[in-house]
Amino acid sequence: MTRTLTALFVSLLVLWPVPASAALPSDANATSRILSPLVVAEHLAEEPVYVHPDRYVSTESSLVLSEDRARDLNDRVTEELPGVYLAVTPWPNAPRSMGTAVVNRSEAEGTFLVVGDGLTVISVRSEGDKVPGPSSDTVRMVLAVVNQRPELARADLGDRLDLALDLLGDEEAAAREYERMSSDGDPGGRALSLVVVLLAALPLVGLAVWGLRRRAHRPVRVVPLSEAVVDSVDSAAHEELRLDLTRVLPSYGRRVARFKGSRERASDALAAYEAAARVLDTAGDVSDLVGVRVLLDHCEAALNGRPAPRHCFFDPRHRGETARTSLRVPASPRATSVQACADCRRDLRAHVPPRAVLDSSHGQPTPYYAVPAQHSVWAATGYGTLAPDLVQRVLGGGARG
């Protein structure tokens, strides 16, 4: 009888309802899970804006966002700013370190804006040469404006973030606001701006260190090369391209000599071949060697009866179909239309400068199209993409005018 009563008592204890506070994890544990960088990174993989529940309530406090405001921010980033991500959390300590941890765990690449337990907006960027979204210079200027502009000292978080998104989507406006703020402030304020800019660069250093530690899982990253080594590498690539062109040029000459087609096509092929040979004899820069390749492509087109080649304006060596795209002149309302490959068009949409042929004939390497037109037929014609008379210009004045 005693054993029966004991068993019944134990059964009741097991089946008795447990209070909700005991059955669920504590608030501290729940918050810890929500604040995990991995959780935030997984959310940002689905939507570009993450707002912690503690910062996602309807209140008059300037430190929080209403549900509608948070939804509007998410819609704006999704539609207007690909490559930008936003996390608003109550991280009380080192939000920059937590932001770096989010980037490390995220499969997405871009610029991650992070707000901790205050109003300060910080930024962490992915590694790489072609990070989508606004440039790092633009991001630094935007952060300086939204964090330091005097009239924003008492602005609420939503207004700050709206302004940040406005400026991230307009590089010229960001530069103007930054210059205006710098000119209006005192020397101490400008010094503070410099400190903020330097601090904004610290996450990049942290990301580089983290990347080196992950070499067991990712390709090994090397330390920056010295200028002497870079010059040696560039020189080797230069000579390799020259030797390749030297090998293939005679075959074009033989094909032109044996050509039995129309006189017009024969004349066009011969002119393009002679122009290529002339440039190769005097080529002193890789941009000239790329021009030789372009002229041989014109020769090939004439021999085969095809239209003139439609090269990528930024680098004729880029493969794939090209299409017209708008290219805006810096600090000017003017724009022009150029041929560009799919990769370069994607870079332009992401506000990333496409990789272009570099011209070192005047010292510091610069994109070939930045050389004055009177000093480079490639800049004057965009390697023939801007003017149809490339061959005639080379035969008339050479590659360097």
Side-chain angles (χ1 to χ4, degrees):
M1 181 66 177
T2 302
R3 291 181 179 178
T4 301
L5 291 175
T6 302
L8 180 60
F9 178 71
V10 172
S11 299
L12 289 173
L13 287 178
V14 172
L15 297 175
W16 193 263
V18 180
S21 60
L24 298 176
S26 67
D27 290 342
N29 290 336
T31 300
S32 176
R33 286 202 313 278
I34 294 173
L35 292 181
S36 165
L38 179 59
V39 172
V40 177
E42 289 175 347
H43 179 94
L44 295 179
E46 302 295 331
E47 293 186 338
V49 174
Y50 171 82
V51 182
H52 185 273
D54 290 352
R55 307 293 293 274
Y56 191 55
V57 295
S58 296
T59 177
E60 297 300 322
S61 171
S62 63
L63 295 175
V64 297
L65 297 170
S66 69
E67 183 176 352
D68 290 341
R69 197 67 175 272
R71 187 183 301 110
D72 290 342
L73 289 171
N74 187 79
D75 291 343
R76 284 197 62 190
V77 175
T78 300
E79 296 172 5
E80 303 172 14
L81 295 169
V84 173
Y85 303 89
L86 171 63
V88 181
T89 74
W91 285 326
N93 299 314
R96 191 179 306 280
S97 299
M98 297 296 283
T100 301
V102 170
V103 173
N104 294 342
R105 289 161 174 77
S106 176
E107 297 180 358
E109 292 186 342
T111 297
F112 292 73
L113 303 180
V114 180
V115 181
D117 62 349
L119 291 173
T120 301
V121 184
I122 67 165
S123 171
V124 184
R125 284 172 62 85
S126 303
E127 292 181 277
D129 296 331
K130 290 190 174 184
V131 177
S135 67
S136 57
D137 289 338
T138 298
V139 173
R140 286 196 288 269
M141 289 188 292
V142 171
L143 293 183
V145 171
V146 298
N147 290 325
Q148 299 175 45
R149 207 163 72 177
E151 59 266 37
L152 293 177
R154 297 184 179 278
D156 65 38
L157 180 58
D159 290 342
R160 285 172 179 259
L161 294 177
D162 276 331
L163 175 61
L165 298 185
D166 288 341
L167 298 181
L168 287 174
D170 189 336
E171 294 185 359
E172 291 186 357
R176 287 196 302 269
E177 290 297 322
Y178 178 76
E179 291 174 2
R180 182 169 69 87
M181 183 189 71
S182 299
S183 62
D184 291 344
D186 57 14
R190 288 193 291 272
L192 181 60
S193 298
L194 178 60
V195 171
V196 171
V197 170
L198 294 175
L199 289 177
L202 290 179
L204 298 179
V205 178
L207 286 173
V209 173
W210 176 85
L212 292 173
R213 292 178 178 176
R214 287 290 302 274
R215 55 181 175 269
H217 303 284
R218 291 186 176 182
V220 176
R221 289 179 171 79
V222 298
V223 297
L225 301 176
S226 68
E227 290 189 9
V229 173
V230 172
D231 289 343
S232 298
V233 173
D234 289 345
S235 177
H238 184 163
E239 289 307 311
E240 183 179 357
L241 179 56
R242 183 189 295 275
L243 290 174
D244 180 61
L245 293 170
T246 301
R247 285 193 296 267
V248 302
L249 184 66
S251 66
Y252 282 87
R254 291 190 293 269
R255 292 175 62 191
V256 170
R258 296 195 300 263
F259 183 67
K260 303 298 183 182
S262 69
R263 180 175 300 179
E264 181 181 3
R265 286 171 54 193
S267 176
D268 290 344
L270 178 60
Y273 167 74
E274 289 181 345
R278 181 178 301 184
V279 174
L280 185 58
D281 285 341
T282 60
D285 184 77
V286 67
S287 61
D288 296 332
L289 296 178
V290 173
V292 175
R293 181 71 267 174
V294 169
L295 292 167
L296 291 180
D297 288 345
H298 279 266
C299 179
E300 182 76 33
L303 291 172
N304 294 325
R306 295 198 303 264
R310 298 164 63 89
H311 293 111
C312 176
F313 168 81
F314 297 98
D315 191 333
R317 294 170 294 181
H318 291 171
R319 299 301 180 187
E321 294 293 329
T322 62
R324 306 298 295 186
T325 187
S326 179
L327 184 63
R328 183 164 50 83
V329 178
S332 169
R334 298 177 58 196
T336 188
S337 179
V338 299
Q339 291 288 139
C341 65
D343 288 343
C344 288
R345 296 198 303 273
R346 183 168 56 248
D347 286 345
L348 288 172
R349 289 193 298 270
H351 305 291
V352 175
R355 292 186 177 182
V357 176
L358 297 181
D359 190 321
S360 303
S361 60
H362 292 79
Q364 187 71 19
T366 185
Y368 82 92
Y369 50 79
V371 176
Q374 65 269 26
H375 298 313
S376 169
V377 70
W378 319 125
T381 66
Y383 283 108
T385 64
L386 303 179
D389 59 343
L390 171 64
V391 174
Q392 289 72 27
R393 293 198 191 194
V394 171
L395 291 176
R400 294 296 162 184

